[in-house]
Amino acid sequence: MNELAISFVVYVCVTGGALAGIYLNPVLPPEQIKDETRQAVNIAVGIIATLAALVLGLMVASAKSSFDARAGDVREIAARIIILDRTLRDYGDETTDARDQLKTMIKARLERFWAEESQAAGAPRLADMESVFRHRLLSLSPANDTQKWLQARALSVAGDLEQTRWLLIE
Protein backbone atom coordinates (compact mmCIF):
# COMPACT_ATOMS: atom_id res chain seq x y z
CA MET A 1 0.00 0.00 0.00
CA ASN A 2 1.22 3.48 -0.66
CA GLU A 3 1.32 6.29 1.89
CA LEU A 4 -1.83 7.96 0.63
CA ALA A 5 -3.90 4.78 0.98
CA ILE A 6 -2.56 4.14 4.49
CA SER A 7 -3.31 7.69 5.59
CA PHE A 8 -6.82 7.41 4.15
CA VAL A 9 -7.47 4.16 6.05
CA VAL A 10 -6.21 5.74 9.29
CA TYR A 11 -8.41 8.79 8.69
CA VAL A 12 -11.48 6.62 8.11
CA CYS A 13 -10.78 4.57 11.27
CA VAL A 14 -10.27 7.64 13.47
CA THR A 15 -13.31 9.42 12.07
CA GLY A 16 -15.41 6.27 12.38
CA GLY A 17 -14.30 5.83 16.00
CA ALA A 18 -15.15 9.45 16.82
CA LEU A 19 -18.58 9.15 15.19
CA ALA A 20 -19.24 5.87 17.02
CA GLY A 21 -18.32 7.57 20.30
CA ILE A 22 -20.67 10.46 19.61
CA TYR A 23 -23.45 8.04 18.72
CA LEU A 24 -22.88 5.73 21.71
CA ASN A 25 -22.54 8.51 24.33
CA PRO A 26 -26.29 8.91 24.98
CA VAL A 27 -26.84 5.13 24.82
CA LEU A 28 -24.19 4.17 27.43
CA PRO A 29 -25.35 3.48 30.99
CA PRO A 30 -24.47 6.19 33.55
CA GLU A 31 -21.87 4.04 35.34
CA GLN A 32 -19.82 4.00 32.10
CA ILE A 33 -19.66 7.81 32.00
CA LYS A 34 -18.29 8.36 35.52
CA ASP A 35 -15.26 10.57 36.18
CA GLU A 36 -13.06 7.54 36.90
CA THR A 37 -13.84 6.10 33.48
CA ARG A 38 -13.14 9.43 31.78
CA GLN A 39 -9.82 9.71 33.62
CA ALA A 40 -8.83 6.19 32.56
CA VAL A 41 -9.65 7.00 28.95
CA ASN A 42 -7.73 10.30 29.17
CA ILE A 43 -4.68 8.48 30.56
CA ALA A 44 -4.86 5.87 27.79
CA VAL A 45 -5.14 8.61 25.14
CA GLY A 46 -2.20 10.44 26.73
CA ILE A 47 -0.06 7.31 26.65
CA ILE A 48 -0.93 6.67 23.00
CA ALA A 49 -0.17 10.29 22.08
CA THR A 50 3.16 10.15 23.93
CA LEU A 51 4.13 6.92 22.17
CA ALA A 52 3.15 8.38 18.79
CA ALA A 53 5.27 11.47 19.49
CA LEU A 54 8.19 9.27 20.54
CA VAL A 55 7.95 7.17 17.37
CA LEU A 56 7.76 10.28 15.18
CA GLY A 57 10.74 11.78 16.99
CA LEU A 58 12.79 8.63 16.44
CA MET A 59 11.81 8.56 12.76
CA VAL A 60 12.90 12.18 12.30
CA ALA A 61 16.18 11.51 14.13
CA SER A 62 16.85 8.48 11.94
CA ALA A 63 16.11 10.40 8.74
CA LYS A 64 18.37 13.26 9.86
CA SER A 65 21.16 10.85 10.73
CA SER A 66 20.89 9.20 7.32
CA PHE A 67 20.83 12.58 5.57
CA ASP A 68 23.86 13.80 7.52
CA ALA A 69 25.78 10.66 6.57
CA ARG A 70 24.97 11.12 2.88
CA ALA A 71 25.86 14.81 3.04
CA GLY A 72 29.22 13.86 4.58
CA ASP A 73 29.81 11.39 1.75
CA VAL A 74 29.05 14.05 -0.84
CA ARG A 75 31.45 16.48 0.86
CA GLU A 76 34.11 13.75 0.90
CA ILE A 77 33.62 13.12 -2.81
CA ALA A 78 33.90 16.84 -3.55
CA ALA A 79 37.11 17.11 -1.51
CA ARG A 80 38.62 14.09 -3.27
CA ILE A 81 37.78 15.55 -6.68
CA ILE A 82 39.57 18.78 -5.73
CA ILE A 83 42.59 16.84 -4.44
CA LEU A 84 42.67 14.72 -7.60
CA ASP A 85 42.48 17.78 -9.86
CA ARG A 86 45.25 19.55 -7.94
CA THR A 87 47.43 16.43 -8.00
CA LEU A 88 47.02 16.17 -11.76
CA ARG A 89 47.71 19.89 -12.16
CA ASP A 90 50.92 19.54 -10.11
CA TYR A 91 52.01 16.60 -12.28
CA GLY A 92 52.33 18.80 -15.33
CA ASP A 93 50.92 19.57 -18.74
CA GLU A 94 50.80 15.87 -19.65
CA THR A 95 47.65 15.51 -17.54
CA THR A 96 45.55 18.02 -19.48
CA ASP A 97 43.60 15.21 -21.17
CA ALA A 98 43.05 13.42 -17.87
CA ARG A 99 41.87 16.64 -16.19
CA ASP A 100 39.49 17.29 -19.09
CA GLN A 101 38.18 13.72 -18.77
CA LEU A 102 37.69 14.27 -15.03
CA LYS A 103 35.67 17.43 -15.70
CA THR A 104 33.60 15.59 -18.30
CA MET A 105 32.89 12.75 -15.85
CA ILE A 106 31.83 15.16 -13.12
CA LYS A 107 29.60 17.05 -15.52
CA ALA A 108 28.00 13.80 -16.73
CA ARG A 109 27.40 12.64 -13.14
CA LEU A 110 25.74 15.92 -12.23
CA GLU A 111 23.61 15.91 -15.37
CA ARG A 112 22.57 12.31 -14.75
CA PHE A 113 21.72 13.12 -11.14
CA TRP A 114 19.53 16.11 -11.99
CA ALA A 115 18.16 14.89 -15.34
CA GLU A 116 14.90 13.16 -15.99
CA GLU A 117 15.09 9.40 -16.45
CA SER A 118 14.35 9.68 -20.16
CA GLN A 119 17.26 12.10 -20.64
CA ALA A 120 19.66 10.01 -18.55
CA ALA A 121 19.12 6.95 -20.74
CA GLY A 122 20.90 8.54 -23.72
CA ALA A 123 23.88 9.78 -21.70
CA PRO A 124 27.29 8.11 -22.04
CA ARG A 125 27.97 5.32 -19.59
CA LEU A 126 29.81 6.53 -16.52
CA ALA A 127 31.63 3.21 -16.14
CA ASP A 128 33.14 3.67 -19.62
CA MET A 129 34.19 7.21 -18.76
CA GLU A 130 35.81 6.03 -15.51
CA SER A 131 37.68 3.34 -17.42
CA VAL A 132 39.01 5.88 -19.93
CA PHE A 133 40.07 8.17 -17.07
CA ARG A 134 41.84 5.33 -15.25
CA HIS A 135 43.69 4.34 -18.45
CA ARG A 136 44.79 7.95 -18.93
CA LEU A 137 46.24 7.97 -15.43
CA LEU A 138 47.96 4.64 -15.97
CA SER A 139 49.40 5.75 -19.33
CA LEU A 140 51.28 8.66 -17.77
CA SER A 141 55.07 8.26 -18.02
CA PRO A 142 56.64 9.85 -14.94
CA ALA A 143 60.01 11.49 -15.65
CA ASN A 144 61.14 11.86 -12.03
CA ASP A 145 60.35 10.72 -8.51
CA THR A 146 57.97 13.62 -7.90
CA GLN A 147 55.87 12.67 -10.90
CA LYS A 148 55.93 9.00 -9.83
CA TRP A 149 54.60 10.00 -6.43
CA LEU A 150 51.97 12.30 -7.98
CA GLN A 151 50.83 9.53 -10.34
CA ALA A 152 50.54 7.07 -7.45
CA ARG A 153 48.67 9.67 -5.41
CA ALA A 154 46.29 10.40 -8.31
CA LEU A 155 45.57 6.69 -8.78
CA SER A 156 44.99 6.26 -5.05
CA VAL A 157 42.65 9.24 -4.81
CA ALA A 158 40.78 8.15 -7.96
CA GLY A 159 40.30 4.67 -6.48
CA ASP A 160 39.10 6.13 -3.18
CA LEU A 161 36.76 8.45 -5.07
CA GLU A 162 35.27 5.57 -7.02
CA GLN A 163 34.85 3.49 -3.85
CA THR A 164 33.13 6.34 -1.99
CA ARG A 165 30.81 6.95 -4.93
CA TRP A 166 29.77 3.28 -5.05
CA LEU A 167 29.25 3.20 -1.29
CA LEU A 168 27.01 6.24 -1.62
CA ILE A 169 25.05 4.58 -4.42
CA GLU A 170 24.63 1.34 -2.49
Side-chain angles (χ1 to χ4, degrees):
M1 252 194 223
N2 64 12
E3 294 83 11
L4 189 59
I6 292 171
S7 61
F8 180 72
V9 169
V10 169
Y11 172 77
V12 168
C13 289
V14 169
T15 305
L19 291 175
I22 291 171
Y23 172 73
L24 291 176
N25 188 29
V27 178
L28 288 174
E31 61 269 2
Q32 295 293 326
I33 309 176
K34 291 183 181 177
D35 284 339
E36 295 90 18
T37 307
R38 287 182 190 263
Q39 287 177 346
V41 170
N42 285 340
I43 290 172
V45 169
I47 289 173
I48 290 171
T50 303
L51 287 175
L54 181 64
V55 167
L56 287 174
L58 290 173
M59 286 174 53
V60 168
S62 175
K64 183 182 181 330
S65 173
S66 177
F67 175 79
D68 288 345
R70 298 303 156 258
D73 289 344
V74 169
R75 280 191 291 277
E76 183 179 342
I77 287 173
R80 288 180 193 269
I81 288 170
I82 292 169
I83 290 170
L84 181 58
D85 184 58
R86 288 184 179 177
T87 302
L88 292 174
R89 182 190 63 202
D90 291 345
Y91 185 93
D93 292 335
E94 301 91 6
T95 60
T96 304
D97 289 340
R99 290 179 72 200
D100 290 341
Q101 182 68 29
L102 178 64
K103 290 174 189 172
T104 303
M105 280 186 342
I106 294 167
K107 185 178 178 184
R109 285 181 186 158
L110 291 174
E111 286 175 355
R112 180 167 289 192
F113 181 75
W114 292 108
E116 298 289 328
E117 288 183 25
S118 60
Q119 294 173 347
R125 288 188 29 160
L126 288 174
D128 294 340
M129 296 174 80
E130 287 174 350
S131 177
V132 169
F133 178 71
R134 196 176 315 112
H135 287 300
R136 285 196 175 142
L137 290 181
L138 290 170
S139 68
L140 293 174
S141 300
N144 54 38
D145 288 341
T146 303
Q147 286 186 338
K148 285 180 186 176
W149 182 82
L150 289 170
Q151 181 188 26
R153 172 102 170 122
L155 286 168
S156 174
V157 171
D160 292 344
L161 180 64
E162 189 174 353
Q163 179 181 359
T164 304
R165 186 178 70 83
W166 280 109
L167 286 173
L168 183 63
I169 290 171
E170 292 300 322

